[in-house]
Amino acid sequence: MRGSCSRSPYLGRVGTYVRYHHERWDGTGYPEKLRGDAIPLPARIIHLADAYDAMTSTRPYREALSHDEAMRRILEGSGTQFDPRLVDLFAGLVDEGVVDRIRAETGAHESG
C-alpha cells in the first residue's frame, strides 16, 4: 500500500500512519503484523479513533452501536487490539466529554 500519500512531500508521514492503522497491539493485524510499540504511535491513535467512530456510526449494514457498547468493546480489546495506555487515555477523554465535543465540531455521526 505505497499510495500517493507516501510519495507526497507533505503527506509522507501520514501515509505511513495510514498504512499501519490496522496493525493490532498483539501483532495479529496487517499489513506487517507489527506488535506493540513497533506500531507508530500516530497509527495506534488513528486505529483507536477509527474503531470508535466506526462502531458509533450508522453503516449501510448495521445501526450505530451505543457509546456504552462501543466503550465495552474498546475496553475488551485493550492489550490485544489496542494499545492499553491509549485505551486508558481515550476512556478519560470520553469521561471528560472531549470526544463528544470533537464529534460535534467535526459533524461526526451521532451515537446510537
Side-chain angles (χ1 to χ4, degrees):
M1 180 178 161
R2 302 245 188 248
S4 59
C5 283
S6 297
R7 292 189 293 259
S8 167
Y10 305 106
L11 298 176
R13 288 186 188 163
V14 172
T16 298
Y17 308 146
V18 169
R19 174 179 172 80
Y20 296 121
H21 87 282
H22 285 292
E23 297 288 358
R24 291 173 48 113
W25 186 252
D26 64 5
T28 63
Y30 64 91
E32 296 183 19
K33 298 195 181 304
L34 298 179
R35 169 181 294 231
D37 289 325
I39 305 164
L41 177 60
R44 287 181 266 151
I45 294 168
I46 293 167
H47 177 61
L48 181 55
D50 182 54
Y52 179 81
D53 182 65
M55 286 187 265
T56 58
S57 299
T58 297
R59 300 299 169 118
Y61 51 88
R62 64 152 178 80
E63 291 296 312
L65 299 178
S66 69
H67 161 77
D68 290 342
E69 177 61 16
M71 287 307 299
R72 186 192 68 73
R73 291 180 184 198
I74 286 172
L75 292 169
E76 186 177 88
S78 180
T80 55
Q81 183 173 356
F82 306 112
D83 177 338
R85 296 167 297 192
L86 292 180
V87 169
D88 289 345
L89 290 170
F90 185 74
L93 293 173
V94 167
D95 289 345
E96 293 172 17
V98 174
V99 172
D100 285 339
R101 286 196 302 274
I102 291 170
R103 289 173 61 86
E105 290 173 11
T106 60
H109 301 288
E110 291 186 15
S111 300

